[in-house]
Every structure is written in structure tokens, then in C-alpha cells.
Coordinates of all heavy atoms in Angstrom, one line a residue:
D1 N 7.9 -7.4 11.8 CA 6.6 -6.8 11.3 C 6.0 -7.8 10.3 O 6.7 -8.3 9.4 CB 6.9 -5.5 10.6 CG 5.7 -4.7 10.2 OD1 4.6 -4.9 10.9 OD2 5.7 -4.0 9.2
Y2 N 4.7 -8.0 10.5 CA 4.0 -9.0 9.6 C 2.8 -8.3 9.0 O 2.0 -7.6 9.7 CB 3.6 -10.1 10.5 CG 2.4 -11.0 10.0 CD1 2.7 -11.9 9.0 CD2 1.1 -10.8 10.4 CE1 1.6 -12.7 8.5 CE2 0.1 -11.6 9.9 CZ 0.3 -12.5 8.9 OH -0.7 -13.3 8.4
R3 N 2.6 -8.6 7.7 CA 1.4 -8.1 7.0 C 0.8 -9.2 6.2 O 1.6 -10.1 5.7 CB 1.7 -6.9 6.0 CG 2.3 -5.7 6.8 CD 1.3 -4.9 7.5 NE 1.9 -3.7 8.0 CZ 2.0 -2.5 7.4 NH1 1.6 -2.4 6.2 NH2 2.5 -1.5 8.0
R4 N -0.5 -9.2 6.0 CA -1.1 -10.2 5.2 C -1.9 -9.5 4.1 O -2.7 -8.6 4.3 CB -2.1 -11.1 6.0 CG -2.9 -12.1 5.2 CD -3.8 -12.8 6.2 NE -4.7 -13.8 5.5 CZ -5.9 -13.5 5.0 NH1 -6.4 -12.3 5.2 NH2 -6.6 -14.4 4.4
I5 N -1.8 -10.0 2.8 CA -2.6 -9.5 1.7 C -3.5 -10.6 1.2 O -2.9 -11.7 0.8 CB -1.7 -8.9 0.6 CG1 -0.7 -7.9 1.1 CG2 -2.5 -8.4 -0.6 CD1 0.3 -7.4 0.1
Q6 N -4.7 -10.4 1.1 CA -5.7 -11.4 0.5 C -5.8 -11.0 -0.9 O -6.3 -10.0 -1.3 CB -7.0 -11.3 1.2 CG -8.0 -12.3 0.7 CD -7.6 -13.7 0.9 OE1 -7.3 -14.1 2.0 NE2 -7.5 -14.5 -0.2
F7 N -5.2 -11.9 -1.8 CA -5.2 -11.6 -3.2 C -6.6 -12.0 -3.8 O -7.1 -13.0 -3.6 CB -4.1 -12.4 -3.9 CG -2.8 -11.8 -3.7 CD1 -2.1 -11.8 -2.6 CD2 -2.2 -11.1 -4.8 CE1 -0.9 -11.2 -2.4 CE2 -0.9 -10.5 -4.7 CZ -0.3 -10.6 -3.5
T8 N -7.2 -11.0 -4.5 CA -8.5 -11.1 -5.2 C -8.4 -10.7 -6.6 O -7.4 -9.9 -7.0 CB -9.6 -10.4 -4.4 OG1 -9.1 -9.0 -4.3 CG2 -9.8 -10.9 -3.0
P9 N -9.3 -11.0 -7.5 CA -9.3 -10.6 -8.9 C -9.2 -9.0 -9.1 O -8.7 -8.6 -10.1 CB -10.5 -11.2 -9.5 CG -10.8 -12.4 -8.6 CD -10.4 -12.0 -7.3
D10 N -9.8 -8.3 -8.1 CA -9.8 -6.8 -8.3 C -8.7 -6.1 -7.6 O -8.6 -4.9 -7.6 CB -11.2 -6.3 -7.8 CG -11.4 -6.6 -6.3 OD1 -10.7 -7.4 -5.7 OD2 -12.3 -6.0 -5.7
L11 N -7.7 -6.8 -7.0 CA -6.6 -6.2 -6.4 C -5.7 -5.5 -7.4 O -5.4 -6.1 -8.4 CB -5.8 -7.3 -5.6 CG -4.8 -6.8 -4.6 CD1 -5.5 -6.2 -3.3 CD2 -3.9 -7.9 -4.1
M12 N -5.3 -4.3 -7.1 CA -4.4 -3.6 -8.0 C -3.0 -3.5 -7.5 O -2.8 -3.6 -6.2 CB -4.9 -2.1 -8.2 CG -6.4 -2.1 -8.8 SD -6.4 -2.7 -10.5 CE -5.5 -1.4 -11.3
P13 N -2.0 -3.3 -8.3 CA -0.6 -3.1 -7.8 C -0.4 -2.1 -6.8 O 0.3 -2.2 -5.8 CB 0.2 -2.7 -9.1 CG -0.6 -3.4 -10.2 CD -2.1 -3.3 -9.8
S14 N -1.2 -0.9 -6.9 CA -1.1 0.1 -5.9 C -1.6 -0.3 -4.5 O -1.2 0.2 -3.5 CB -1.9 1.3 -6.4 OG -3.3 1.0 -6.6
D15 N -2.5 -1.4 -4.5 CA -2.9 -1.9 -3.2 C -1.8 -2.6 -2.5 O -1.9 -2.8 -1.3 CB -4.1 -2.8 -3.5 CG -5.3 -2.2 -4.0 OD1 -5.6 -1.0 -3.7 OD2 -6.0 -2.8 -4.8
I16 N -0.8 -3.0 -3.2 CA 0.4 -3.7 -2.6 C 1.5 -2.8 -2.4 O 2.1 -2.7 -1.2 CB 0.8 -4.9 -3.5 CG1 -0.4 -5.9 -3.7 CG2 2.1 -5.5 -3.0 CD1 0.0 -7.0 -4.7
I17 N 1.9 -2.0 -3.4 CA 3.1 -1.1 -3.3 C 2.8 0.2 -2.6 O 3.6 0.6 -1.7 CB 3.6 -0.8 -4.7 CG1 4.1 -2.2 -5.4 CG2 4.7 0.2 -4.7 CD1 4.4 -2.0 -6.8
G18 N 1.6 0.8 -2.8 CA 1.3 2.1 -2.3 C 0.8 3.0 -3.3 O 0.8 2.7 -4.5
V19 N 0.5 4.2 -2.9 CA 0.0 5.2 -3.9 C 0.4 6.6 -3.5 O 0.5 6.9 -2.3 CB -1.6 5.0 -4.0 CG1 -2.2 5.4 -2.6 CG2 -2.2 5.9 -5.1
N20 N 0.5 7.5 -4.5 CA 0.7 8.9 -4.2 C -0.6 9.6 -3.9 O -1.6 9.5 -4.6 CB 1.4 9.6 -5.4 CG 2.8 9.2 -5.6 OD1 3.6 9.3 -4.6 ND2 3.3 8.9 -6.8
V21 N -0.6 10.2 -2.7 CA -1.8 10.9 -2.2 C -1.6 12.4 -2.3 O -0.5 12.9 -1.8 CB -2.2 10.5 -0.8 CG1 -3.4 11.2 -0.3 CG2 -2.5 9.0 -0.8
F22 N -2.5 13.2 -2.8 CA -2.4 14.6 -2.9 C -2.7 15.3 -1.6 O -3.7 15.0 -1.0 CB -3.3 15.2 -4.0 CG -3.2 16.7 -4.2 CD1 -2.1 17.2 -4.8 CD2 -4.1 17.6 -3.7 CE1 -1.9 18.6 -5.0 CE2 -4.0 18.9 -3.8 CZ -2.9 19.4 -4.5
Q23 N -1.7 16.1 -1.1 CA -1.9 16.8 0.2 C -2.3 18.3 -0.1 O -1.5 19.0 -0.7 CB -0.6 16.8 1.0 CG -0.1 15.4 1.4 CD -1.0 14.8 2.5 OE1 -1.5 15.5 3.3 NE2 -1.1 13.5 2.5
K24 N -3.5 18.6 0.2 CA -4.1 19.9 -0.1 C -3.3 21.0 0.6 O -3.1 22.1 0.1 CB -5.6 20.0 0.3 CG -6.2 21.3 -0.1 CD -7.7 21.3 0.4 CE -8.5 20.2 -0.2 NZ -9.9 20.3 0.2
E25 N -2.8 20.7 1.8 CA -2.1 21.8 2.6 C -0.8 22.2 2.0 O -0.4 23.4 2.0 CB -1.8 21.2 4.1 CG -3.0 20.9 4.9 CD -3.6 19.5 4.5 OE1 -3.0 18.8 3.8 OE2 -4.7 19.2 5.0
T26 N -0.1 21.2 1.4 CA 1.2 21.5 0.8 C 1.2 21.5 -0.8 O 2.2 21.8 -1.4 CB 2.2 20.5 1.2 OG1 1.8 19.2 0.8 CG2 2.4 20.5 2.7
S27 N 0.0 21.2 -1.3 CA -0.2 21.2 -2.8 C 0.8 20.3 -3.4 O 1.4 20.6 -4.5 CB -0.1 22.6 -3.4 OG -1.2 23.4 -2.9
S28 N 1.1 19.1 -2.8 CA 2.1 18.2 -3.3 C 1.6 16.8 -3.1 O 0.6 16.6 -2.3 CB 3.4 18.4 -2.7 OG 3.4 18.2 -1.3
F29 N 2.2 15.8 -3.8 CA 1.9 14.4 -3.6 C 2.8 13.8 -2.5 O 4.0 14.0 -2.5 CB 1.9 13.7 -4.9 CG 0.8 14.0 -5.9 CD1 0.9 15.0 -6.8 CD2 -0.4 13.2 -5.8 CE1 -0.1 15.3 -7.7 CE2 -1.4 13.5 -6.6 CZ -1.3 14.5 -7.6
V30 N 2.2 12.9 -1.7 CA 3.0 12.2 -0.7 C 2.7 10.7 -0.9 O 1.6 10.3 -1.1 CB 2.6 12.6 0.7 CG1 3.3 11.7 1.8 CG2 2.9 14.1 1.0
F31 N 3.8 9.9 -0.9 CA 3.7 8.5 -1.2 C 3.2 7.8 0.1 O 3.9 7.9 1.2 CB 5.0 7.9 -1.6 CG 4.9 6.4 -1.9 CD1 4.2 6.0 -2.9 CD2 5.6 5.5 -1.1 CE1 4.1 4.6 -3.2 CE2 5.6 4.2 -1.4 CZ 4.8 3.7 -2.4
R32 N 2.1 7.1 0.0 CA 1.6 6.3 1.2 C 1.9 4.9 0.9 O 1.5 4.3 0.0 CB 0.1 6.5 1.3 CG -0.5 5.8 2.5 CD -2.0 6.1 2.6 NE -2.2 7.5 3.0 CZ -3.4 8.1 3.0 NH1 -4.5 7.5 2.7 NH2 -3.5 9.4 3.3
K33 N 2.8 4.4 1.8 CA 3.3 3.0 1.6 C 2.2 1.9 1.7 O 1.3 2.0 2.6 CB 4.4 2.7 2.6 CG 5.7 3.5 2.4 CD 6.8 3.2 3.4 CE 8.0 4.0 3.2 NZ 9.1 3.7 4.2
G34 N 2.3 0.9 0.9 CA 1.4 -0.2 1.0 C 1.9 -1.3 1.8 O 3.0 -1.2 2.5
P35 N 1.2 -2.4 1.9 CA 1.6 -3.5 2.9 C 2.8 -4.3 2.5 O 3.3 -5.0 3.3 CB 0.3 -4.4 2.8 CG -0.3 -4.1 1.5 CD -0.1 -2.7 1.3
I36 N 3.4 -4.0 1.3 CA 4.7 -4.7 1.0 C 5.8 -4.2 1.8 O 6.8 -4.8 2.0 CB 5.0 -4.5 -0.5 CG1 6.0 -5.6 -1.0 CG2 5.5 -3.1 -0.8 CD1 6.2 -5.7 -2.5
F37 N 5.6 -3.0 2.4 CA 6.6 -2.4 3.3 C 6.5 -3.1 4.7 O 6.1 -2.5 5.6 CB 6.5 -0.9 3.4 CG 6.9 -0.2 2.1 CD1 6.0 0.0 1.1 CD2 8.2 0.2 1.9 CE1 6.4 0.6 -0.1 CE2 8.6 0.8 0.7 CZ 7.7 1.0 -0.3
T38 N 7.0 -4.3 4.8 CA 7.0 -5.1 6.0 C 8.2 -6.0 5.9 O 9.1 -5.8 5.1 CB 5.7 -5.9 6.1 OG1 5.6 -6.5 7.3 CG2 5.6 -6.9 5.0
Q39 N 8.3 -7.0 6.9 CA 9.4 -7.9 6.9 C 8.9 -9.3 6.5 O 9.6 -10.0 5.8 CB 10.1 -7.8 8.2 CG 10.8 -6.5 8.5 CD 11.3 -6.4 9.9 OE1 10.5 -6.4 10.8 NE2 12.6 -6.3 10.0
I40 N 7.8 -9.7 7.1 CA 7.2 -11.0 6.7 C 5.9 -10.7 6.1 O 5.0 -10.2 6.7 CB 7.0 -11.9 8.0 CG1 8.4 -12.1 8.7 CG2 6.4 -13.2 7.6 CD1 9.4 -13.0 7.9
L41 N 5.8 -11.1 4.8 CA 4.6 -10.8 4.0 C 3.9 -12.1 3.6 O 4.5 -12.9 2.9 CB 4.9 -10.0 2.8 CG 3.7 -9.6 1.8 CD1 2.7 -8.8 2.5 CD2 4.2 -9.0 0.5
L42 N 2.6 -12.2 4.0 CA 1.8 -13.4 3.6 C 1.0 -12.9 2.4 O 0.1 -12.1 2.5 CB 1.0 -13.8 4.7 CG -0.1 -14.9 4.4 CD1 0.6 -16.2 3.8 CD2 -0.9 -15.3 5.6
A43 N 1.3 -13.5 1.2 CA 0.6 -13.3 0.0 C -0.5 -14.4 -0.1 O -0.1 -15.5 -0.7 CB 1.4 -13.2 -1.2
D44 N -1.6 -14.2 0.4 CA -2.6 -15.3 0.5 C -3.4 -15.5 -0.8 O -3.9 -14.6 -1.3 CB -3.6 -15.0 1.7 CG -4.1 -16.3 2.3 OD1 -3.7 -17.4 1.9 OD2 -5.0 -16.2 3.2

């Protein structure tokens, strides 16, 4: 698995690692994985 991240001044840690997203149906937060969850990561 390969992912590429284009690093820019406005990039945030959550854009790499992931973020907790609120699910209205279950009234709970679910972690949505970021592009770091890969095997070969290009940090451009």
C-alpha cells in the first residue's frame, strides 16, 4: 500500500494521523485514519 502526502505550510497533524469524526447515528466519535496508515509513505 502506497500513500503520498504533499507537505504544505497549512498542513495539520490530523491531516496525517487522522481525526475523530462524530457519528450522529450512534452519538459517538469514530476515528477516521489518515494517510500515515499505509506501508510505503512518501512525505513530499
Side-chain angles (χ1 to χ4, degrees):
D1 188 30
Y2 159 80
R3 301 282 183 90
R4 174 181 179 272
I5 304 174
Q6 180 64 53
F7 281 74
T8 56
D10 60 347
L11 195 73
M12 298 295 291
S14 58
D15 296 324
I16 298 173
I17 295 174
V19 64
N20 285 314
V21 178
F22 183 74
Q23 299 287 330
K24 187 182 297 185
E25 298 81 7
T26 60
S27 297
S28 61
F29 286 92
V30 175
F31 181 67
R32 182 173 295 171
K33 294 181 178 180
I36 200 171
F37 288 89
T38 186
Q39 292 172 297
I40 302 294
L41 176 65
L42 173 58
D44 209 2

